[in-house]
Amino acid sequence: KVKKGTKGWNGDPNSTELPETWCGYQIEYAKAAVIKDVKFRQRYPCNNKVDIDYTIVGETDDVIVNFIVKDNDVGKTYTPLSFDKVPPITEGTHRITWDAYADGISITSTNVVVGVDFAPPPLYIVVDLSGGTSAANYQVTTLSDVPTGGWTDEYKTTKLVLRKITAGKMPRTDVDITLTKDYYVGVFEVTQKQWELVMGSNPSYFDADTLPVEQVSYEDIRGTSNGSQWPASNAVDATSFMGKLRAKTGIDFDLPTEAQWEYACRAGSSGDWGLLADGTMGTLDEMGWYWDNSSFKTHAVGTKTPNAWGLYDMHGNVCEWCLDGYSGGGYSGTDPVGATSGFRRVLRGGSWYNNDYGCRSSNCYYYNCPDDRYYADGLRVAAPAGL
């Protein structure tokens, strides 16, 4: 780690030893994280379940824990996916349980080795919501790329897919904003079917599984008690959408901050609309549903052109709630978190109901009350990259 110091390095520039200060920065020697004491056992008689213990020593940053199971008797190597919780990456000793049968794997040999190591976060994480409200857990899997054949309706109904966004400087010249932490954000707006599978009901005015859910409030999404405390706390109510999603995945899902939302929307563009895959700035007509082309209603998610980072409907369709409170004077700085008091909450992106001005990357809406609901307002899910 590098920490800002008070003086420059005045030692020998030809020295092979690292100085304590260098170019005005004080150098701290961070202890690289390691994984040790890996142990595992198959449960008897239900040997489809495998308990895996491991200990993390040292500091971790922006990684996940990766598992490899090698059956030496048959010469096969497996990558476990179905765990009872997201594998922790904090220091200390942890235990997780792998359901081998859920991954279609039957291990009966005695010569099996389990390896545990760190790996960079995957490009996509996928949450299987198909079990609905009665599911004890929602299985979380990963993808390294868009599936062959593209994002089918499965990823807009029974599965929730998020893409990793690499942090950086906001591509705007009028304000200085920098994000320092990578994060995940939904490829699509949350649909009515996804909301119903988590919450058990569909509050939307327009009715179809792949339409974005609307008529949901900030309080529906995060709760009225713990969920109202941002930025003092990122806690949510257990009965809220985020509360239920967190409880069944072990991941701190939430709304994106206003800065995270805009950074993801722009995908490198400093203009009104996000960049496209070819590096040019898109147009609203090709990227979003708004007043001039929506026929005054929402449309199925993912039917317009995505931005360069593969995110759909960042302009139009429904306005999207953000985590932050509305400050009134814009926002700036490093990892900004919005107003620290008040009830007004931010929405971004514009909707089917808005004109082109209202759907710009930089345009901001707000509601005075976090319990407001409207048939042009929905959400997009976010999560920390470290999971």
Side-chain angles (χ1 to χ4, degrees):
K1 293 192 302 182
V2 179
K3 179 180 177 182
K4 185 67 176 176
T6 58
K7 62 179 182 178
W9 176 27
N10 56 9
D12 180 2
N14 298 316
S15 172
T16 58
E17 296 182 1
L18 285 173
E20 292 302 317
T21 59
W22 179 70
C23 293
Y25 288 82
Q26 177 182 335
I27 297 178
E28 296 179 353
Y29 300 99
K31 183 172 59 175
V34 295
I35 295 178
K36 63 179 187 177
D37 299 332
V38 177
K39 301 175 183 177
F40 70 98
R41 67 179 181 88
Q42 288 181 263
R43 293 186 182 180
Y44 181 84
C46 301
N47 60 4
N48 59 304
K49 296 290 184 70
V50 180
D51 292 326
I52 303 174
D53 297 316
Y54 59 96
T55 299
I56 297 178
V57 179
E59 299 182 12
T60 61
D61 183 27
D62 198 24
V63 294
I64 63 171
V65 177
N66 187 54
F67 297 84
I68 295 293
V69 176
K70 186 176 182 181
D71 187 339
N72 291 315
D73 283 349
V74 297
K76 289 187 177 181
T77 300
Y78 308 102
T79 302
L81 295 174
S82 300
F83 295 112
D84 63 336
K85 60 183 177 181
V86 174
I89 60 170
T90 54
E91 279 200 272
T93 298
H94 308 287
R95 169 173 290 178
I96 61 168
T97 301
W98 171 43
D99 187 345
Y101 280 10
D103 290 343
I105 299 170
S106 176
I107 297 178
T108 58
S109 58
T110 57
N111 190 10
V112 178
V113 176
V114 174
V116 185
D117 203 349
F118 293 121
L123 185 59
Y124 295 98
I125 57 173
V126 180
V127 184
D128 186 350
L129 306 174
S130 59
T133 57
S134 61
N137 296 289
Y138 294 143
Q139 182 179 343
V140 180
T141 56
T142 63
L143 291 171
S144 59
D145 207 344
V146 178
T148 302
W151 301 115
T152 63
D153 280 355
E154 177 183 24
Y155 295 95
K156 306 170 188 176
T157 53
T158 60
K159 292 183 177 179
L160 186 67
V161 58
L162 295 87
R163 187 194 194 279
K164 182 175 176 288
I165 304 297
T166 301
K169 185 176 177 60
M170 189 79 72
R172 288 175 57 176
T173 58
D174 59 328
V175 65
D176 187 11
I177 302 168
T178 300
L179 299 179
T180 64
K181 298 177 182 178
D182 297 351
Y183 60 101
Y184 285 95
V185 70
V187 170
F188 306 106
E189 294 165 330
V190 173
T191 64
Q192 294 177 26
K193 184 62 175 180
Q194 291 167 339
W195 182 276
E196 185 176 1
L197 285 170
V198 174
M199 299 296 285
S201 61
N202 178 14
S204 303
Y205 176 81
F206 303 106
D207 185 19
D209 285 351
T210 58
L211 294 181
V213 69
E214 15 89 8
Q215 295 199 140
V216 292
S217 70
Y218 185 92
E219 291 182 347
D220 294 331
I221 297 166
R222 303 194 82 247
T224 60
S225 181
N226 291 334
S228 66
Q229 302 304 309
W230 176 264
S233 167
N234 76 333
V236 296
D237 292 15
T239 56
S240 68
F241 179 80
M242 294 302 176
K244 292 176 182 290
L245 203 54
R246 289 185 184 188
K248 295 185 179 184
T249 61
I251 297 175
D252 280 344
F253 286 111
D254 214 326
L255 293 169
T257 66
E258 185 177 7
Q260 287 175 332
W261 188 96
E262 183 175 342
Y263 183 80
C265 174
R266 290 182 174 279
S269 169
S270 60
D272 288 340
W273 321 111
L275 288 187
L276 299 179
D278 63 3
T280 64
M281 188 173 70
T283 66
L284 181 54
D285 277 304
E286 62 188 326
M287 299 184 78
W289 298 106
Y290 69 115
W291 183 264
D292 287 357
N293 66 7
S294 69
S295 299
F296 316 120
K297 61 182 180 181
T298 60
H299 291 259
V301 300
T303 52
K304 285 288 188 177
T305 302
N307 70 15
W309 293 345
L311 308 178
Y312 292 83
D313 299 298
M314 296 298 292
H315 304 283
N317 217 5
V318 289
C319 285
E320 300 174 15
W321 286 100
C322 291
L323 188 54
D324 297 347
Y326 180 69
S327 62
Y331 65 103
S332 62
T334 300
D335 299 319
V337 294
T340 58
S341 63
F343 296 103
R344 297 184 294 183
R345 297 292 173 178
V346 169
L347 299 97
R348 298 296 296 262
S351 73
W352 62 269
Y353 186 78
N354 296 111
N355 60 17
D356 55 350
Y357 184 86
C359 296
R360 294 173 303 131
S361 300
S362 60
N363 196 64
C364 174
Y365 294 94
Y366 69 88
Y367 281 148
N368 285 318
C369 299
D371 62 351
D372 283 343
R373 299 179 182 89
Y374 190 54
Y375 57 6
D377 302 332
L379 73 148
R380 188 180 304 262
V381 175
L387 300 184

